[in-house]
Amino acid sequence: MPDTVWKKCVVVAGLAVFLLSFPLLVRDAFLLRLFTEALMWIGLAITWDLIAGYIGYLNFGHGVFFGFGAYTTTILFTKANLPFALSLAIGGGVAALAALIIGWPVLRLRGAYFAIATWAFGRAIMQLALVLDVTGGPDGMRLPPFLNPHFFAYVMLALVGATYIVLWVLLERAPFGLKLKAIREDESGSLAIGLNPAKLKLQALVLSAAPAGLIGGVYAYWITFIDPSSVFGDLVTDQAVVMAVFGGLGTLIGPAIGAVFFLTFKTYFWAYLSDFQVLYLIILGVAIAACVVFLPDGIWGAVTRRQEGRRALRKGLSLNQRAAAPPAHPSAAGTSVRPSVRPRDGEEE
Amino acid sequence: MSTLLKVEGIDVFYGPAQALWGVSFEVAKGQLVSLVGTNGAGKTTTLRAICGLIEAKAGRIAWDGREISGLPVHEIMDLGVSLVPEGRQLFPKMTVEENLTIGSYLRRTKANRNRNLDWVYELFPRLSERRRQLAETMSGGEQQMLAIGRALMQEPKFLILDEPSLGLSPVLVQDIFRIIKDFHDRGLTTLLVEQNVSQTLQLVDYAYVIENGRIIMEGKGRDLADNPKVKEAYLGF
Amino acid sequence: MAEPILRLENVSKAFGGLKAVNQVSFDVSEGEIVGLIGPNGAGKTTVFNLISGYDPPTEGSISFNGCEISGRKPYELAAVGIGRTFQIVKPFAGLSVLDNVTVASYLRYPAQRDARRKAREVLEFIGMGDRADMPAAGLTLAGRKRLEIGKALALEPKLILLDEVVAGLNPTEADQTVQLILSIRKSGVTTLIVEHIMRVIMGISHRVVVLNYGSLIAQGAPEEVARNPQVIEAYLGESK
Amino acid sequence: MLTLLPQAIIDGLLLGGIYLTVSIGFSLAYGVLHIIDFAVGEWIMLGAFLGLYLTAWTGWDAMLFLPAVFVVFAVVGWFTQPLIQRVTSGAKGRPVLMALVFTFGLALTFRGAAQTVFGIFTHSLPTELAAGSWYWELGPFMMTVPLVRLAGLVYALAITVGLTYLLKRTDLGLAIRAVAQHKDAAGLMGVNIQRTNAVVYSLYVGISAMTGVFIGAIISLNSGMGPDLSLFAFFVVVLAGMGYLPGVPWASFLLGLIQSFFLIFFNPSWTLLAVFTVLFLILLVSPTGLFRKGV
Amino acid sequence: MKRIFLIGVLVLGMVLPGVALAQDAFKIGVVTSLSGDLATGGNVTKRGYDLWAKDVNARGGIEIQGKKYPVRLVYGDDQSQAAQAASAAERLSVQEKVDCVLGPYASGVTLAAAPVLEKYKIPMITGSAESPLIWRQNPPFKYTFGTIPPVNFTGSGVIKSLKALPDGPKTAVIYGTNDAFSKATAEAFQATAEKEGIKVLKFNIIPVKQDMTPLMSAAKALNPDLIAFGGHDEELINLVKALVQIDFTPRFLLMHYGVTEPAFIEALKKNADGVLGGSVWNVNMDIKGQIGWPTAKAYADAAMAEYKVPSDYTQAGCSAAGLAFEAALKQLAVPPPLDEAARTKLVSILEKIDIQTFYGRVKFAEEGEFYHSNAGLTPFTVQILDGKEMVVAPVGLAQAKLLYPLKPWKQR
């Protein structure tokens, strides 16, 4: 036991040293940009995974929080002339507040309805950004360029690193994570053991929204330009989803691996193989399908044999109970005395 | 008496977990045979295997001397097998009449649809009164009648009933048992699966006792009913 | 007779137009094991759902330790001291056996370390200490049912509701579970149990409450109830 | 502006008709097969391109090719269904997910292939109906009904009525509903589940492809049109309540009416904002669709 | 330990540098939308750039101090996303070490790529981005140029030419879709119309890809002389079809950009006839080029031979952007690779450059709201006549008479 703990410490320390020194060692600004972008996507993927992998709710409006952060930061920074750090902090706060406000009604929805409702919310907010004056509408907003790659690499590292550590402590070390997993496994059953799923889910949503908002704020300053489709578009969420699913849901390391893997592939593909752009769609399509068929728990799940991924997806996509809950165990199948037609059951539908 | 259904040493798995271990039994033409056992013993699984709803990994199932394991469900049904499944498994959003009508979906029964409908309504006047009602709105007993009626619409040569008494009031249970006996008297081959062991064993010609996926005992119904081992393990009180 | 820990007064529950539970009243005293029996569909599980807060009663009152609890949420009731199991066992299948119990012990032990310690204690108590690190999905039916009890016990309840924890088990397993129920009671937890297998109910209950079609038709000592002609007719059905 | 009220209603209903054509087959496929087919928009796109090539080749009116497009794609659907079946039943217990992801991959592949083969430009399907319209003036009210859109609505309603008839009045329909409600029990009734599934999928693909011809004639077509259509189909089906076929027309018309009213009477730039807000709010108020009848 | 291995592999993948071959050629980066939402337009720009590269290399390359250096294009797909545009610009600057850059199709991505190129002091000419936003920045982008004048420049000319007609429009309904380019177009139409005394009865910005029939119903009720619309190809086609369907023929129907795209005429056939648009270039113009293709016709033929589609002004503008670099590099007379000083000098050459091409005059504005966009062109009005795009105003450039009022749809 102490032996593996020691090994883990070495790995973590090594990783930390690597991450901290990477920006210093690398002179190539493009690699630094990739590094920053990879960190950004790790942050978005793990915060999405907090809701998807740990509670089993597929949030297709995660990009909204990113966008809230980006726009709030930009507006405060460029129009109200607040310092960047303060604008950024408020941006994160606004994202968290948004999560708090929509979380309560939305988290009552289940499966595909939750997915669609969050998607609709994201679309509505994007339309709002397109028609408001303060956001610049479709023209988007520019921020004064501050093109210091090291600054952004370290800010992103600090932000995503802190998010990672906080989530790791809360999800893997503190009771919070186990409680969320219990909700994922059986939401109604979790009531009986004293959990309040509504409250826990809301806490988790806020916890996933705040870092996403902060990342959005940093993104805006880093890229120097935002418009509704670049920060509120489906792409932000979709990419985080693909990364998390590919890497392995319900873990923190999985989405991170997925993010690095996907981003590396994507960047190199577009950089050097963009003549075959048609293939990109096909490769992506086949890869996603193959991943779910052959690696239902993602890369990390396949390595560690953790099955969180498929459990989370099963819940998140459950459209009706019949399709989602097959007899998992022979004895359980045998005990099911619940008739398919229940004359006395008026609570559902 | 010739054998109608012969099950020989079937193994069935749910994923990696084995549910049936070399289950063998047979039913002769015109017989009323029962498969008894506790919850989770493997009764329903056995029936599902016979009907082709789940594949048997080993062993064979023969119908009238012909191997039927591996055939799709609808072809097995076409041979004349009818299952009244556990928990009825009606079509909840269909009316009573539609539930019965689909019983005669098979080509060989389609021609007799109206005659059979009349017959089932005569047999269960309750259903006749409620022919336009949705199945899900009916009481448990009515649903059970409908499930049996639906199976009868298939003009079965071999009727399988899975826990027909489940969830019914005692009066209704007596009705159901009376109907089963009645069919038996008319010469219909029947396989009855029941938890209500004492009453079932009184009724049937022959019975098999299944436990943990294995047949552990068999014999004439009344012999088993008197067997103290059976009593101790399954009759409770 | 001791002060009732649980009291149901004229409790009814209707789903749509159907009355699943109709004007049911009974008490459970501290330290008792009470059996709740009745044919399938009699409303036993609905009564459990009402007591544990899963369904609010349509009318009537439920009080626990003298406080009105009808309409309160299940997690509030768990905090007050009511633990329950489910007829269709619901382990958190993706979690280990230990985690299943740990997540329940957070109610009384918010700190991770204490919750783990409590969970191990409970696992020892229910005889599953050796299976702590197994995924719950890999348990047999008997293991799952036992784990259900463990989860309820980790809440340190004053009252535990057991829904068919014996049904479906083979005789040896059933005996072990009966022993477990008796030792739970010995530890001072009041038990309300729904069970199909009469041998179990009759053997361990101090009192038995009989429901039929949602209504209470008899209550009293097991022997008494077993002689009640109404019960015999409704439940045992051997009218020959 | 109130003089435009009848026109707004007509425009809304006609637009709703388009959404209905997009969603009705999708809803059927979901209701029976329990799969969310992400490729619905791509089936529509492919159908539209087949129509385009046929009209370009023969010079005839696009509407004449509806049966041909249906037949071709019904056959394609017939042979695609077993593939989906195999993928979804390959790994036990995750049919919904597998179908979703598989059709997503299918959609990406179709789109990529279409971009290569058909190019990236927008086209329009020629039809004589396009220039026709009926016009009335009633006091202060004036109304124009574009014939091609009316044809689209009639087509949508005909498909809806046809499907309803099929489901309610025929043995095949009985079998389809049985499979939808309880697969095992349907098998026990002697229904060939595999064949029924293939029939449903081929109906759905055929209908979607025909819809492509209408959309190409009414609006326009290009190789990238799929995702938006898929999203709207999804939108309508969720609003209707997933798997609840009778809700689909109402959800479609609601969607069309919201748009026409915002475009005519309110601020047009808020149209889509209104559409998504309404979807969001309806889900909050009624979590299983407009009629609370979704699964 | 698998974790370390995995990470190792990934890091290796990330650090492997782009293969940079030293050779005697100008390395010119292309940042544009080859995929994503704007792929349609992005690929048109790519055709324009490719055609120039092919042409210049066929001529042996760019002559510097007596030696001819070919050009090599290096692509960076911005995937129609701002972040990827910045990333592509950075990669081309740092890893590929390009000498200069041919710019994106749309303005949003240009706005993200430009600051990165400013930082590395790499000049960029975009042959397409027409939104006025790019030129209005404060401080302005010193290293960014554009061969197409912004829409507020071209759009106003068209309205003016209509107003100048003896029986010009008196009332107008103006729409634009809600993207940066289309909205700017619609706003330019609106501003000019109001200035010219055309009464704007209704001005609306509508969501992208919105069905427009109800909108046209509302327009029909107002019965304006002119409907002016800012949008992209697909939307223009949909708008005409909506008008046909509700049977409303305004006297003038004006759009921008998309009418010059071959797909517009192909999709609408006879209903495209009479539609007006604004442009700065077309195939039939009588222009003599001093560099590259001698005439517009020669260019169009070359493009037709290469791509089998007629060329439009975006593609031509992109090829002209290449020609501008070609002329400036020749003048710079520094062999590749260019260092920072040479590139800075290139910018000052570009600022002074004034050349005649098949596309028209290229002369970048040195100040004002059109800073660094092409001020050498005269915007003109085109009309689709018998399936061909013809210049109808101003008088000096006109190839045909402006036909109005629009022929009713039902009589076609």
Side-chain angles (χ1 to χ4, degrees):
Chain A
M1 188 81 176
D3 193 38
T4 57
V5 168
W6 189 79
K7 268 187 191 162
K8 272 183 186 168
C9 284
V10 170
V11 171
V12 169
L15 197 64
V17 168
F18 166 75
L19 289 172
L20 286 169
S21 58
F22 186 88
L24 293 178
L25 296 176
V26 171
R27 295 267 126 238
D28 187 325
F30 176 65
L31 283 185
L32 259 188
R33 183 178 283 273
L34 264 186
F35 177 79
T36 314
E37 197 176 354
L39 285 170
M40 176 179 120
W41 285 110
I42 289 173
L44 290 174
I46 58 171
T47 49
W48 183 78
D49 183 43
L50 166 59
I51 302 299
Y54 284 83
I55 332 183
Y57 279 74
L58 303 185
N59 176 3
F60 279 100
H62 191 56
V64 166
F65 304 129
F66 177 81
F68 267 123
Y71 265 103
T72 310
T73 307
T74 308
I75 290 168
L76 293 177
F77 184 50
T78 61
K79 301 210 165 167
N81 289 319
L82 293 184
F84 176 69
L86 184 60
S87 310
L88 183 65
I90 298 175
V94 167
L97 191 69
L100 201 62
I101 292 167
I102 68 147
W104 179 76
V106 167
L107 284 165
R108 292 180 314 148
L109 302 176
R110 288 180 304 173
Y113 291 99
F114 176 85
I116 287 291
T118 49
W119 168 76
F121 178 72
R123 278 290 170 118
I125 295 296
M126 174 171 156
Q127 288 298 324
L128 192 66
L130 275 168
V131 298
L132 289 182
D133 282 338
V134 67
T135 57
D139 294 348
M141 302 184 82
R142 274 200 76 214
L143 294 89
F146 176 65
L147 298 168
N148 182 340
H150 289 91
F151 171 78
F152 288 106
Y154 277 113
V155 169
M156 205 61 102
L157 182 60
L159 186 57
V160 173
T163 305
Y164 199 99
I165 291 165
V166 167
L167 290 189
W168 185 77
V169 168
L170 280 177
L171 296 176
E172 299 291 339
R173 281 291 166 268
F176 189 63
L178 207 51
K179 288 180 183 173
L180 294 188
K181 284 183 188 171
I183 293 172
R184 175 187 74 205
E185 297 296 324
D186 183 350
E187 194 158 336
S188 119
S190 73
L191 288 163
I193 55 161
L195 301 185
N196 180 350
K199 196 173 116 195
L200 286 162
K201 287 187 293 184
L202 192 59
Q203 287 169 344
L205 191 67
V206 171
L207 196 63
S208 102
L214 292 171
I215 291 170
V218 175
Y219 166 90
Y221 198 23
W222 177 44
I223 300 298
T224 75
F225 174 75
I226 56 169
D227 65 4
S229 66
S230 68
V231 297
F232 282 124
D234 288 339
L235 192 98
V236 180
T237 308
D238 292 355
Q239 208 149 291
V241 172
V242 171
M243 288 166 173
V245 172
F246 195 53
L249 290 179
T251 62
L252 284 173
I253 186 85
I257 291 173
V260 173
F261 221 91
F262 182 84
L263 194 73
T264 310
F265 166 72
K266 188 184 145 174
T267 307
Y268 279 81
F269 185 93
W270 286 119
Y272 304 112
L273 293 170
S274 62
D275 286 350
F276 306 99
Q277 55 150 308
V278 171
L279 286 181
Y280 179 78
L281 284 185
I282 297 169
I283 292 172
L284 188 63
V286 172
I288 292 171
C291 168
V292 177
V293 176
F294 299 112
L295 300 174
D297 304 303
I299 301 171
W300 188 246
V303 173
T304 57
R305 294 173 198 281
R306 282 173 71 158
Q307 301 202 336
E308 334 270 333
R310 67 181 76 188
R311 318 197 70 84
L313 281 178
R314 191 182 295 167
K315 182 180 178 200
L317 287 167
S318 74
L319 298 152
N320 57 39
Q321 301 315 320
R322 260 169 315 193
H329 195 271
S331 52
T335 10
S336 149
V337 290
R338 180 180 280 196
S340 72
V341 181
R342 281 163 292 167
R344 297 212 155 165
D345 197 344
E347 57 184 324
E348 284 179 16
E349 295 179 356
Chain B
M1 268 199 296
S2 61
T3 305
L4 188 60
L5 179 84
K6 189 164 185 168
V7 175
E8 283 178 291
I10 55 167
D11 291 349
V12 172
F13 293 77
Y14 284 97
Q18 188 161 3
L20 294 186
W21 312 70
V23 167
S24 302
F25 65 94
E26 53 181 83
V27 181
K29 269 188 188 136
Q31 250 189 336
L32 171 54
V33 173
S34 176
L35 198 57
V36 296
T38 52
N39 237 328
K43 297 169 302 204
T44 299
T45 306
T46 309
L47 301 188
R48 288 174 66 84
I50 295 172
C51 295
L53 287 166
I54 188 164
E55 193 193 347
K57 282 274 185 308
R60 63 191 291 269
I61 301 166
W63 168 265
D64 228 348
R66 181 190 154 202
E67 164 115 30
I68 59 165
S69 23
L71 285 185
V73 190
H74 61 97
E75 283 182 31
I76 294 175
M77 294 301 123
D78 208 16
L79 296 171
V81 180
S82 275
L83 173 68
V84 179
E86 182 190 12
R88 274 86 76 170
Q89 304 194 355
L90 298 171
F91 303 108
K93 307 278 179 196
M94 288 191 197
T95 62
V96 168
E97 184 141 321
E98 284 173 333
N99 264 288
L100 291 174
T101 307
I102 196 166
S104 60
Y105 179 80
L106 285 166
R107 191 157 293 155
R108 64 179 166 81
T109 60
K110 224 166 247 184
N112 304 333
R113 176 174 290 172
N114 290 332
R115 205 191 62 205
N116 288 343
L117 261 179
D118 290 344
W119 174 54
V120 169
Y121 284 143
E122 200 180 312
L123 212 52
F124 302 108
R126 271 314 261 166
L127 298 182
S128 176
E129 292 161 24
R130 313 200 151 208
R131 50 178 87 187
R132 302 257 163 264
Q133 202 172 319
L134 289 187
E136 64 180 352
T137 63
M138 309 230 295
S139 75
E142 290 164 346
Q143 288 188 5
Q144 192 63 57
M145 289 175 196
L146 180 53
I148 295 173
R150 190 177 65 170
L152 294 178
M153 292 292 291
Q154 291 178 285
E155 302 181 0
K157 298 193 185 84
F158 179 47
L159 182 65
I160 308 174
L161 297 131
D162 193 357
E163 310 263 13
S165 73
L166 194 74
L168 300 188
S169 71
V171 184
L172 277 171
V173 171
Q174 297 317 314
D175 278 352
I176 299 283
F177 275 80
R178 200 159 36 237
I179 291 165
I180 293 168
K181 193 163 176 341
D182 186 36
F183 285 139
H184 176 48
D185 292 346
R186 294 193 206 178
L188 178 62
T189 317
T190 308
L191 177 60
L192 175 63
V193 162
E194 261 297 336
Q195 274 194 95
N196 192 338
V197 182
S198 57
Q199 210 171 350
T200 305
L201 292 183
Q202 299 294 325
L203 190 74
V204 300
D205 300 324
Y206 201 80
Y208 296 86
V209 181
I210 185 167
E211 187 187 310
N212 289 334
R214 293 176 176 87
I215 302 281
I216 54 159
M217 249 183 276
E218 62 181 280
K220 290 215 169 71
R222 279 172 203 284
D223 295 351
L224 281 180
D226 298 334
N227 186 324
K229 250 183 100 183
V230 173
K231 256 191 171 155
E232 187 206 313
Y234 301 101
L235 301 188
F237 63 98
Chain C
M1 203 158 125
E3 178 68 18
I5 186 168
L6 179 74
R7 163 167 280 174
L8 277 75
E9 280 174 295
N10 301 321
V11 171
S12 298
K13 177 69 191 179
F15 294 113
L18 291 157
K19 279 211 164 168
V21 172
N22 193 6
Q23 298 285 325
V24 168
S25 307
F26 65 89
D27 288 351
V28 178
S29 302
E30 186 139 19
E32 262 189 323
I33 296 181
V34 174
L36 184 61
I37 64 170
N40 244 320
K44 300 168 307 236
T45 296
T46 308
V47 168
F48 264 30
N49 284 344
L50 296 176
I51 299 173
S52 61
Y54 270 78
D55 285 321
T58 323
E59 54 186 287
S61 102
I62 305 170
S63 54
F64 179 73
N65 265 342
C67 302
E68 176 68 37
I69 57 163
S70 52
R72 290 175 71 180
K73 295 272 185 286
Y75 50 86
E76 293 171 334
L77 297 178
V80 170
I82 300 177
R84 73 165 290 181
T85 70
F86 291 90
Q87 180 189 356
I88 296 161
V89 284
K90 299 176 164 185
F92 302 123
L95 307 185
S96 72
V97 169
L98 179 64
D99 283 350
N100 263 275
V101 181
T102 309
V103 74
S105 5
Y106 289 142
L107 183 68
R108 305 283 174 221
Y109 303 93
Q112 181 80 351
R113 189 179 298 259
D114 302 342
R116 285 256 180 252
R117 204 194 55 236
K118 171 69 188 174
R120 288 199 184 274
E121 267 171 33
V122 169
L123 285 182
E124 289 303 328
F125 182 77
I126 62 171
M128 292 184 77
D130 51 336
R131 277 173 282 179
D133 295 319
M134 221 177 134
L139 290 174
T140 60
L141 180 66
R144 286 161 180 239
K145 294 210 164 197
R146 198 161 269 254
L147 178 59
E148 274 293 292
I149 300 175
K151 277 156 66 182
L153 285 179
L155 303 170
E156 300 194 343
K158 298 192 188 74
L159 170 69
I160 191 166
L161 312 177
L162 302 176
D163 198 350
E164 301 211 7
V165 288
V166 184
L169 305 188
N170 69 33
T172 331
E173 294 163 342
D175 281 345
Q176 289 170 344
T177 302
V178 166
Q179 289 310 313
L180 179 61
I181 296 170
L182 291 175
S183 54
I184 290 170
R185 189 236 154 185
K186 211 175 283 169
S187 70
V189 181
T190 313
T191 307
L192 182 60
I193 178 169
V194 163
E195 193 48 76
H196 248 101
I197 302 179
M198 293 300 272
R199 184 181 50 147
V200 172
I201 285 280
M202 296 306 187
I204 61 174
S205 305
H206 298 110
R207 281 192 314 120
V208 175
V209 175
V210 191
L211 294 181
N212 194 23
Y213 288 106
S215 301
L216 190 145
I217 56 168
Q219 62 173 318
E223 322 72 73
E224 242 173 76
V225 167
R227 283 196 299 271
N228 185 324
Q230 227 186 329
V231 174
I232 293 172
E233 197 195 316
Y235 193 86
L236 308 177
E238 305 257 342
S239 48
K240 284 181 206 170
Chain D
M1 275 316 245
L2 218 60
T3 54
L4 276 173
L5 191 64
Q7 182 72 55
I9 292 170
I10 288 171
D11 284 345
L13 292 178
L14 294 176
L15 185 54
I18 296 175
Y19 293 123
L20 179 53
T21 62
V22 174
S23 338
I24 192 83
F26 182 74
S27 178
L28 176 75
Y30 173 73
V32 180
L33 306 176
H34 300 294
I35 61 168
I36 291 176
D37 189 348
F38 260 122
V40 59
E42 270 65 29
W43 289 123
I44 294 172
M45 181 264 291
L46 291 176
F49 271 101
L50 178 62
L52 184 73
Y53 277 79
L54 288 175
T55 50
W57 182 46
T58 57
W60 298 349
D61 195 287
M63 294 298 145
L64 295 174
F65 294 111
L66 286 175
V69 171
F70 177 81
V71 170
V72 169
F73 278 90
V75 171
V76 172
W78 180 271
F79 288 107
T80 313
Q81 199 276 337
L83 202 67
I84 294 179
Q85 187 80 39
R86 188 172 305 166
V87 172
T88 54
S89 54
K92 270 205 163 62
R94 282 170 290 142
V96 177
L97 172 63
M98 304 300 292
L100 195 87
V101 175
F102 182 74
T103 56
F104 183 68
L106 209 61
L108 286 183
T109 311
F110 283 168
R111 205 180 320 144
Q115 273 170 12
T116 332
V117 179
F118 305 135
I120 44 183
F121 289 112
T122 301
H123 307 269
S124 170
L125 279 178
T127 167
E128 284 306 312
L129 287 177
S133 60
W134 285 329
Y135 178 74
W136 295 282
E137 244 172 279
L138 262 176
F141 301 110
M142 48 180 203
M143 282 164 281
T144 313
V145 179
L147 285 188
V148 66
R149 284 186 181 240
L150 188 64
L153 179 65
V154 169
Y155 159 81
L157 292 175
I159 295 285
T160 311
V161 170
L163 282 181
T164 312
Y165 178 84
L166 175 80
L167 289 176
K168 291 274 178 190
R169 292 274 180 271
T170 66
D171 263 22
L172 175 63
L174 207 55
I176 291 174
R177 285 160 65 207
V179 172
Q181 293 178 24
H182 206 306
K183 212 158 132 189
D184 279 356
L188 292 175
M189 296 301 108
V191 175
N192 183 340
I193 294 170
Q194 205 127 36
R195 216 188 60 201
T196 310
N197 283 345
V199 166
V200 170
Y201 198 77
S202 96
L203 265 178
Y204 146 74
V205 173
I207 291 172
S208 300
M210 272 206 291
T211 297
V213 174
F214 270 100
I215 294 203
I218 297 172
I219 306 171
S220 57
L221 63 138
N222 60 50
S223 52
M225 71 200 275
D228 275 7
L229 293 172
S230 298
L231 283 180
F232 273 109
F234 212 22
F235 180 113
V236 168
V237 168
V238 168
L239 199 58
M242 301 192 77
Y244 183 62
L245 209 58
V248 174
W250 303 110
S252 305
F253 291 137
L254 177 67
L255 185 57
L257 286 170
I258 294 172
Q259 295 194 31
S260 77
F261 273 71
F262 262 84
L263 286 171
I264 293 180
F265 297 117
F266 308 110
N267 186 345
S269 61
W270 293 61
T271 308
L272 276 187
L273 176 61
V275 164
F276 292 116
T277 310
V278 165
L279 173 60
F280 181 66
L281 293 178
I282 285 180
L283 281 182
L284 293 191
V285 175
S286 176
T288 49
L290 269 183
F291 305 93
R292 302 180 187 235
K293 288 257 172 94
V295 285
Chain E
M1 287 305 103
K2 273 173 182 156
R3 202 183 312 203
I4 292 178
F5 174 72
L6 251 173
I7 290 166
V9 168
L10 293 174
V11 168
L12 214 66
M14 280 176 66
V15 181
L16 272 175
V19 189
L21 293 172
Q23 61 174 48
D24 287 342
F26 283 104
K27 217 171 172 185
I28 300 180
V30 177
V31 177
T32 193
S33 308
L34 301 179
S35 60
D37 294 343
L38 306 168
T40 311
N43 282 290
V44 173
T45 61
K46 181 174 186 287
R47 288 206 300 250
Y49 296 140
D50 283 347
L51 203 59
W52 165 70
K54 194 172 176 229
D55 182 65
V56 69
N57 289 340
R59 288 184 268 120
I62 300 172
E63 195 178 317
I64 308 285
Q65 295 160 357
K67 185 169 183 258
K68 286 198 164 182
Y69 293 90
V71 300
R72 194 160 72 80
L73 298 187
V74 187
Y75 301 99
D77 182 6
D78 62 40
Q79 299 157 53
S80 311
Q81 298 156 32
Q84 295 313 311
S87 175
E90 192 129 53
R91 181 174 67 83
L92 294 180
S93 311
V94 177
Q95 291 198 335
E96 299 288 352
K97 304 203 178 345
V98 294
D99 300 309
C100 49
V101 166
L102 290 162
Y105 168 71
S107 40
V109 285
T110 310
L111 286 173
V116 176
L117 295 172
E118 296 276 301
K119 180 179 148 196
Y120 295 106
K121 303 202 188 322
I122 294 174
M124 163 164 81
I125 307 180
T126 161
S128 160
E130 283 184 82
S131 167
L133 289 173
I134 301 165
W135 322 115
R136 265 186 208 150
Q137 295 302 323
N138 184 29
F141 293 125
K142 190 167 184 313
Y143 287 80
T144 304
F145 298 83
T147 45
I148 294 190
V151 283
N152 45 349
F153 186 63
T154 42
S156 59
V158 187
I159 299 273
K160 281 181 197 153
S161 69
L162 294 183
K163 183 63 191 170
L165 293 169
D167 189 16
K170 293 188 178 55
T171 54
V173 166
I174 298 171
Y175 297 114
T177 55
N178 206 355
D179 62 83
F181 164 78
S182 309
K183 194 177 166 206
T185 308
E187 281 166 355
F189 286 156
Q190 184 200 22
T192 320
E194 278 168 357
K195 211 161 67 194
E196 297 290 321
I198 299 174
K199 189 163 179 228
V200 178
L201 304 173
K202 202 164 161 46
F203 171 78
N204 284 133
I205 300 299
I206 58 169
V208 173
K209 291 193 182 169
Q210 174 65 48
D211 181 75
M212 284 172 284
T213 325
L215 205 64
M216 292 306 115
S217 296
K220 184 181 185 179
L222 296 169
N223 196 20
D225 291 338
L226 165 69
I227 290 183
F229 178 68
H232 282 99
D233 49 349
E234 185 183 344
E235 289 147 354
L236 305 188
I237 293 168
N238 296 352
L239 179 108
V240 174
K241 292 185 79 175
L243 279 172
V244 173
Q245 285 170 17
I246 66 150
D247 192 27
F248 174 56
T249 325
R251 292 180 58 224
F252 300 92
L253 179 56
L254 167 65
M255 312 212 194
H256 189 45
Y257 177 52
V259 298
T260 62
E261 241 184 39
F264 182 79
I265 299 168
E266 192 268 342
L268 291 172
K269 310 235 159 54
K270 56 190 196 281
N271 285 337
D273 261 16
V275 178
L276 297 156
S279 183
V280 287
W281 181 84
N282 92 357
V283 180
N284 303 318
M285 286 178 77
D286 179 24
I287 312 175
K288 297 271 179 286
Q290 302 161 329
I291 180 168
W293 298 274
T295 60
K297 178 85 172 45
Y299 175 80
D301 291 345
M304 193 55 133
E306 184 75 21
Y307 302 117
K308 313 279 180 292
V309 284
S311 31
D312 71 343
Y313 81 73
T314 300
Q315 185 188 317
C318 290
S319 297
L323 291 175
F325 267 138
E326 186 183 336
L329 287 170
K330 208 185 262 179
Q331 206 176 323
L332 179 68
V334 175
L338 303 183
D339 58 9
E340 197 176 303
R343 296 199 300 263
T344 314
K345 184 136 179 268
L346 188 62
V347 169
S348 40
I349 293 172
L350 282 171
E351 282 182 333
K352 295 278 172 311
I353 210 162
D354 189 350
I355 52 169
Q356 274 296 333
T357 68
F358 76 96
Y359 174 72
R361 186 176 164 214
V362 176
K363 168 84 190 85
F364 300 109
E366 284 173 76
E367 57 190 13
E369 72 167 315
F370 302 125
Y371 176 78
H372 276 192
S373 73
N374 190 359
L377 297 174
T378 316
F380 52 76
T381 308
V382 295
Q383 188 169 35
I384 309 297
L385 292 169
D386 288 330
K388 287 205 179 58
E389 174 200 328
M390 300 299 251
V391 180
V392 291
V395 187
L397 293 172
Q399 302 154 341
K401 203 168 159 325
L402 201 159
L403 195 74
Y404 71 97
L406 212 51
K407 194 173 177 190
W409 308 117
K410 282 198 172 163
Q411 293 169 24
R412 294 178 186 226

